[in-house]
Structures are given as structure tokens and as C-alpha cells.
Amino acid sequence: MARLTLPERLRIAAIGAERTRRGVVSAALNSRTLRWRYGAPRADQLLIVPQDLRTADPSFWFEMTHGQFGLGGSLARLDGNSPFDVVPPSQPWARSLHGFGWLRHLHAAAEPEAAEAARQLAVEWSIRNARGQGDGWRPEVLARRVISWLSHAGLLLEGADEATYNAISSSLGMQLVRLASAWREAADGQPRLLALTALVFADLCIAGRDRQLEGDVRKFLEELDRQILPDGGHASRNCAVLVDLLLDLLPLAQCFRARGHVQPARLTDAIAAMLAMARFMRLGDGMLARFNGVAVAFPSRLATVLAYSEANAAQLSHAEASGYERLERGDTVLIADCGGPPPLVLSAEAHAGCLSFEMSCGQDIVFSNGGAPGSADGDWRPASRATASHNTLVLAETSSSRLVSHRRIEDILGDLPIRGPATVEATAIEAANEGTGFEAMHDGYLEQFGLLHQRRIMLDTAGRRVDGVDRLKPPRGVMRLKQDLPFAIHFHLSPQAECRRGDKIGMAIVEVGEQRWRFAVEGARLGIEESMYFANSAGPVRRLQIVLRATTFGETEVRWAITRLA
């Protein structure tokens, strides 16, 4: 763990002060004297019902009738009780319960009993949580519940008796009054944008909220501009966030059109850029590359949002603002992390994977980072964020980024942020005869060891050979360390891949699917070791990795090549 520098202490103090200020403003605006500004505390009439693009699982209702309630990667047994009476097995489970995203599963069941259960649980929640306290009133949970109730209003209100209808519509109105001030308390990043998205949804869908629309859209677009980078990436550098946001922004755009409003150009442009970035970060198996917090894959979600992408849309070749490079030739795709850490307040899920890469050929993943574990396996998070869990160089068993340990910031962000590298530089290479590639450098080891890590990777024109060079060197001149330092270059294989030593020293054979690849190295000892893959729906699993080990006296170069044999 890294100790805080003075600038970091000042930054954390500023984050804490801003959080306090937002809380004070939110509380004042939610007071009895000012809350009238946010409309009537009742949602009597819905003009339109937004589409829910998230995949529904009708079997959820079957499991629920058998006393099981699985949410957020955890399973609770009801034993005849209401889910609101069960001790939550995890915090993500509790927040998913209060967010009501599971309504889509009951809706998909298309059974009268499921609809009745949905109405009863919505009314029960309204009665139990009328005082506005607890996890269910966190801004991001409140926002998800508002969107869920609006998207499944037909399930909740059609066929409901008068008392049920009044209870749900009154509760929804009160929740919107609260959200209109509470969005300011949402954590920076996706939670805050989600809260503002929910407000705009409500303004478009509920009669009588037109006068709130202009102001809410203005705040929403300002936050959208702040979080979405020019190339369409998210400021957190977690590309899975893009998919989650698009699952809400695409229906929101439809709501503007359904109400006869002009869709804001800034929303249109942001969606187009985000879709392009999602395509950019997708490997051959249809999954997102596992960088900076990308966890267990939900391929249906990515496929759903990309269905809205224009078939002839231009493919990004570089994502400079987001700090990623993509090499693609033939059936081979290689995506590399060539960026620094996100801002401190958005780095609680970021990984120390600078200059790491992932590679697919056809629909098979050949090399992959460890990814982030699911919410039920949070104990693995520190290991998953370490540089050694990524396909890059590790010097002296030290990560290129440091976890910043501070209780206050951990309380605010929910996890530890990372620091460094301070400087990351990357240059794309396009050569007619050599193919496509990049050269990048980071200074994550400069302060502690006085060395830079430089990496060059080239993919040939046929997509059948990758040539790489890793260098450790001082920023200038010649250096001789007082003692040699060990380093390791990790190449984690897909969990489906097999690996064995080749018939020559410094060579290994990798087999995945019907493919066979030869890995060869000069300048280091090649070994085949076990490693862990974290982004698995059933929990972390063991796999193999190729590790190149050597020592450096101050300047070292290791050359490696990956060649397809079959």
C-alpha cells in the first residue's frame, strides 16, 4: 500500500468537502419548504413506458416460487418469507433487491401470479420504506428502482385494484421528489449519471413533469459530457460501464422521439461514440477485453447494445483519450492498455495493468488478463488488480500502480484507488510490410527503481504472427543498479487453452480450440506456471500462464514472438 502524498491528501480533503457540500444542498432542497419545486408527490398518469433492454430470465419466477431469490451474484432462501425479511447475503444482493431490476424477470414469466407478486412486493416496499432511510434510498439504487418501475409499469399497474394503484403511484411520486435533490449525493461517475438519467426518464414518461424536463436535461447532458470521453470511452476507463449506460441511454433516446421532442444532439453524439468504443473493445468471442474492472461477462448485454450500432459505422483504429490500442489483421485481434489511471475519485475499480494486452483469434481467446471477480468473490479483488494478473511486465514483484490506503477515501469510493503511472506515452505504428502495432512506455517503476518499461508489439499483415519487445531502461543515459532486480513478463492463457514446452529451449506450444500457436523468447527463461482467472461466473478458476523470468542490472531487452502454426 502506498502512503498518501501531500497533493493526494489535499485531493481527498477536497473530495470529502465536495461530498459534504452536496449532502447539505440535497438536504436543504429536500426540506418541506423547497421540495414543492420538484412536482406533485404522486405519479398519476404515465404517457409512455420505456423499453427495458436488459435480458430477462423467466426461470427467475420458477426459482422464486421454490423459495430462492438470486441477485447480485448471491442466493437467498426465502423459506416462505418476504425477500424484505431475509438477512441479505451480500450488499450487492440488498441493493439489487431494492433496485427492482428483477421485475423484468417476473414480467417475462407472463403469468398472473408473477404479476400479482410484483405488485405485492412493490406495495410492501412502499410501506416499509416510507421513511426514506437505508440502502434502498441511496441515489443510484433509487434511480434504478425508478427506471424499473417506469419500464414495467404495465406489470405493476395493469389489473391492479385502486388501493394498489394509488400506493404504487404515490410512492413513485415521492421517490422522484427525493431523487430530484438526492442525485447530488450520488457517487461520482456512473451512479451520478444514472440518477440524472432516471430523472429525465420520469420527466418524459409521467404527465405533469414537463416543466422539470429542461432543467433536468441540462444537468444530465453536462454530466454526460463530463464522463464520456471524446473517443466514446468512460472516464473510469472501465468499458463495461459503457454497456450498462447504453442499456439506459438507448431507451431514453427512444422516449424523446416517442414524446415528439427533439433528441438532444449531445445525447445522439455520445451514444454513437460509446457504441463505437464498445465495438473497439470487443474481442473475437464477442466479449469485452478485461481491463480496469471488467468482470463476469454478460454477452447478451453487449450484443443488445451493438444491435443499435450502424452496420457500416467506421471502426475506431485508436482510442487515445481512453488509452487503448487495437490491432486487427485477419482473424486476430489484440487490444492493449496504453493509458494511465483514471482520476482518483474514479479509480476504485481500476487495475495496475499498464501495457498489458489481450488477444483473440477467430472466436477463441488466446491470452487474457485476469479480469475482476464477481461481487460474491470480493476477497480476490486485490489480487485481480495487481500487475501480475495482467499480460505485462512486473519488476521486482511490484505492481506498476500502487493502491492508495486511506480509510476516508475508501469509505467514499467503496474501495482503494490506485496511483500511477504518472506518465504513459503510446505511438501507433502502421507499416505496409510489417503490419500494424504500437510502441508505448510507462514510468510506474521510475520513482522506486529508476527504470522505465517500454513495450513494442507488432501484428503482421496476415494476423498470424505477433512480435513483441519489452525493455527496461533509465529515462536517459546509462544506469547500473546497485544490485540486479528480478522481473517477470506474464502471458496468461485463456482458461480453455492448453500449454506445453516446445522441442527447443525458450519455446512453448499453446493450443486453444482448433488452433496451435508457438511462443518463442530471447533474453529470458521461459516457464509454464499456474495462474488465476477471476472474471468467471462460477468464481475464480485456475489456468496456465507463460512467464518469462530474468534479472536486470539497469538495461534489459526481451524479445518474444507468437506464431500461428495451425
Side-chain angles (χ1 to χ4, degrees), residues 525-536:
R525 300 184 308 278
L526 182 151
I528 300 172
E529 304 175 10
E530 282 194 344
S531 75
M532 297 297 294
Y533 179 72
F534 304 103
N536 186 63

Side-chain angles (χ1 to χ4, degrees), residues 449-517:
F449 303 112
L451 296 175
L452 302 175
H453 175 208
Q454 185 180 67
R455 167 168 270 188
R456 177 187 171 98
I457 293 180
M458 294 294 300
L459 174 64
D460 76 350
T461 54
R464 298 183 65 88
R465 181 181 172 95
V466 179
D467 287 281
V469 182
D470 283 290
R471 296 186 180 93
L472 288 168
K473 63 177 188 177
R476 64 186 66 83
V478 178
M479 173 181 285
R480 180 62 171 95
L481 298 171
K482 294 181 180 179
Q483 61 181 28
D484 291 355
L485 292 175
F487 67 88
I489 309 175
H490 297 264
F491 297 85
H492 299 272
L493 299 170
S494 159
Q496 287 73 44
E498 299 291 336
C499 186
R500 57 181 172 80
R501 287 189 175 276
D503 54 6
K504 295 182 180 179
I505 295 175
M507 185 180 296
I509 302 298
V510 176
E511 296 179 345
V512 56
E514 300 297 322
Q515 302 174 30
R516 190 156 57 93
W517 296 78

Side-chain angles (χ1 to χ4, degrees), residues 137-461:
W137 291 92
R138 291 175 62 92
E140 66 274 21
V141 179
L142 170 55
R144 176 55 59 207
R145 184 170 58 255
V146 165
I147 295 174
S148 296
W149 283 21
L150 289 173
S151 300
H152 299 281
L155 178 73
L156 295 176
L157 300 177
E158 288 180 9
D161 58 42
E162 184 177 359
T164 298
Y165 190 101
N166 290 338
I168 293 174
S169 59
S170 295
S171 177
L172 180 57
M174 289 302 299
Q175 291 177 56
L176 288 170
V177 170
R178 176 68 171 271
L179 185 60
S181 60
W183 71 265
R184 296 168 176 81
E185 299 179 67
D188 201 355
Q190 184 183 5
R192 191 173 301 164
L193 186 54
L194 175 62
L196 288 166
T197 301
L199 284 175
V200 179
F201 262 122
D203 296 342
L204 290 168
C205 295
I206 300 174
R209 292 190 59 87
D210 287 341
R211 69 186 183 90
Q212 278 85 28
L213 181 61
E214 182 179 354
D216 288 341
V217 168
R218 184 184 68 255
K219 291 176 286 194
F220 161 75
L221 292 175
E222 288 173 354
E223 192 63 29
L224 188 68
D225 290 344
R226 194 174 69 86
Q227 293 193 32
I228 303 304
L229 302 174
D231 56 20
H234 188 259
S236 67
R237 303 194 66 230
N238 181 342
C239 52
V241 171
L242 291 180
V243 177
D244 279 342
L245 290 174
L246 283 166
L247 288 169
D248 291 322
L249 296 184
L250 288 165
L252 184 67
Q254 292 175 341
C255 288
F256 275 99
R257 296 191 293 271
R259 284 293 312 278
H261 292 292
V262 176
Q263 182 176 317
R266 287 150 69 187
L267 174 59
T268 304
D269 294 344
I271 288 175
M274 293 164 72
L275 287 170
M277 188 64 188
R279 292 197 307 273
F280 178 92
M281 297 299 295
R282 184 174 59 164
L283 290 164
D285 65 343
M287 306 290 195
L288 293 172
R290 285 145 286 251
F291 297 105
N292 291 302
V294 175
V296 177
F298 294 95
S300 61
R301 294 182 181 180
L302 181 58
T304 296
V305 299
L306 290 183
Y308 288 80
S309 178
E310 296 181 9
N312 59 352
Q315 173 72 59
L316 284 175
S317 55
H318 311 288
E320 184 177 354
S322 295
Y324 292 105
E325 291 287 335
R326 179 187 176 95
L327 313 181
E328 184 172 5
R329 291 290 186 273
D331 292 334
T332 302
V333 176
L334 186 150
I335 302 176
D337 179 351
C338 297
L344 188 71
V345 73
L346 296 177
S347 68
E349 293 185 345
H351 287 202
C354 193
L355 304 196
S356 67
F357 73 92
E358 295 200 340
M359 186 181 112
S360 67
C361 185
Q363 295 182 355
D364 294 310
I365 300 295
V366 184
F367 297 99
S368 73
N369 295 320
S375 57
D377 300 293
D379 290 347
W380 288 97
R381 284 179 59 80
S384 72
R385 300 177 72 187
T387 303
S389 294
H390 298 76
N391 295 319
T392 188
L393 181 146
V394 180
L395 180 59
E397 300 182 349
T398 303
S399 286
S400 58
S401 299
R402 313 287 191 273
L403 292 176
V404 178
S405 179
H406 189 276
R407 178 168 294 180
R408 179 73 187 281
I409 196 66
E410 186 174 5
D411 290 342
I412 293 173
L413 303 184
D415 209 332
L416 298 177
I418 64 171
R419 173 209 302 162
T423 302
V424 184
E425 299 174 353
T427 303
I429 302 172
E430 293 290 344
N433 297 326
E434 292 184 74
T436 183
F438 68 88
E439 185 168 281
M441 176 277 298
H442 77 74
D443 65 354
Y445 295 117
L446 183 61
E447 181 179 353
Q448 187 170 358
F449 303 112
L451 296 175
L452 302 175
H453 175 208
Q454 185 180 67
R455 167 168 270 188
R456 177 187 171 98
I457 293 180
M458 294 294 300
L459 174 64
D460 76 350
T461 54

